[in-house]
C-alpha cells in the first residue's frame, strides 16, 4: 500500500518540481506529517489519498514559490527515463517536446494537468487538492490544453523562439 502511494507522490512532486532530490524531500516530509498526524486521524473526515496529495502538493507549491525563476536561452535536456538503447527515438523526442511544453505553462495550469492526466485524479479530487472549485479547475484545464496544443503546434512548425 505504502509503496504505491510513495511512487505516485514521488511522480507528482517530480513533475511539479522537476528536481528528483527535491521531490524525494517533499515525499519524505509528506510521510513524516502523516506519521505525526496519524494518532489524531478521524475516520471519514478526509480520504487518506486526498490528504497525502494535498500535503505533497502544498509542499511543492511552497518550494516553487521560494524559487526565483531564471530564464535560460536553451531548455536543458531531460534525462531519459529508460536506458534501453532500442527505445523509439521518435517517442523520446515527442515526450521531450511535451515536457518542454508542460514547463512553459503557467504554474497553476501545469499543476492542474499533472493532477488530472499524470496522477489520474478526478476533477473533484484535483480541485480539492488545489483548493479551488471544480469549475475553476475545468477552466484551468481548458486553458492548459489550449496552451499545450498551441505550444506543440509551434514546436512542430519551428515557430518557437
Amino acid at each position: 500500500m505504502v509503496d504505491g502511494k510513495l511512487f505516485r507522490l514521488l511522480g507528482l512532486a517530480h513533475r511539479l518540481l522537476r528536481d528528483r532530490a527535491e521531490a524525494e524531500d517533499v515525499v519524505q516530509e509528506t510521510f513524516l506529517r502523516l506519521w505525526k498526524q496519524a494518532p489524531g486521524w478521524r475516520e471519514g473526515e478526509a480520504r487518506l489519498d486526498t490528504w497525502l496529495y494535498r500535503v505533497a502538493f502544498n509542499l511543492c507549491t511552497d518550494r516553487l514559490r521560494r524559487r526565483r525563476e531564471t530564464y535560460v536561452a536553451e531548455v536543458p535536456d531531460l534525462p531519459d527515463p529508460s536506458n534501453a538503447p532500442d527505445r523509439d527515438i521518435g517517442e523520446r523526442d515527442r515526450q521531450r517536446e511535451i515536457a518542454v511544453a508542460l514547463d512553459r505553462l503557467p504554474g497553476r495550469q501545469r499543476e492542474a494537468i499533472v493532477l488530472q492526466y499524470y496522477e489520474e485524479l478526478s476533477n473533484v479530487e484535483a480541485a480539492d487538492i488545489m483548493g479551488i472549485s471544480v469549475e475553476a479547475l475545468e477552466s484551468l484545464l481548458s486553458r492548459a490544453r489550449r496552451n499545450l496544443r498551441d505550444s506543440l503546434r509551434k514546436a512542430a512548425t519551428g515557430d518557437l523562439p
Side-chain angles (χ1 to χ4, degrees):
M1 178 176 122
V2 171
D3 283 347
K5 293 182 187 343
L6 172 80
F7 290 116
R8 289 191 64 141
L9 290 173
L10 189 57
L12 168 71
H14 186 256
R15 284 186 190 96
L16 292 175
L17 298 171
R18 291 288 191 218
D19 182 299
R20 179 77 177 189
E22 266 196 295
E24 290 171 355
D25 289 347
V26 162
V27 172
Q28 184 174 13
E29 177 66 22
T30 301
F31 279 102
L32 183 62
R33 289 186 183 192
L34 173 62
W35 180 258
K36 290 178 180 178
Q37 296 291 328
W41 189 266
R42 289 187 292 254
E43 191 70 33
E45 274 192 24
R47 283 189 47 219
L48 178 62
D49 288 352
T50 304
W51 186 86
L52 285 170
Y53 271 106
R54 180 67 178 234
V55 170
F57 181 84
N58 287 342
L59 289 169
C60 289
T61 301
D62 290 345
R63 284 175 181 255
L64 289 169
R65 281 189 191 123
R66 285 193 297 261
R67 284 184 186 171
R68 292 275 182 230
E69 279 201 7
T70 56
Y71 296 95
V72 293
E74 192 174 316
V75 177
D77 286 337
L78 299 175
D80 185 3
S82 79
N83 293 327
D86 59 343
R87 175 126 179 169
D88 180 36
I89 293 173
E91 178 61 23
R92 240 185 332 192
D93 289 344
R94 183 71 176 157
Q95 291 303 319
R96 187 170 292 132
E97 288 172 6
I98 291 170
V100 168
L102 198 60
D103 285 342
R104 290 179 181 206
L105 287 177
R108 297 296 279 176
Q109 290 179 23
R110 183 176 56 252
E111 292 163 357
I113 289 287
V114 166
L115 291 172
Q116 177 89 63
Y117 293 101
Y118 288 93
E119 299 306 316
E120 299 176 349
L121 297 176
S122 71
N123 284 4
V124 172
E125 291 170 318
D128 186 41
I129 289 166
M130 292 182 73
I132 59 177
S133 69
V134 172
E135 293 79 15
L137 175 77
E138 290 170 351
S139 177
L140 277 172
L141 287 168
S142 177
R143 288 192 310 270
R145 286 189 293 262
R146 185 174 48 251
N147 288 338
L148 278 173
R149 199 170 28 251
D150 291 346
S151 184
L152 290 170
R153 188 176 301 125
K154 288 177 182 176
T157 60
D159 288 343
L160 285 177

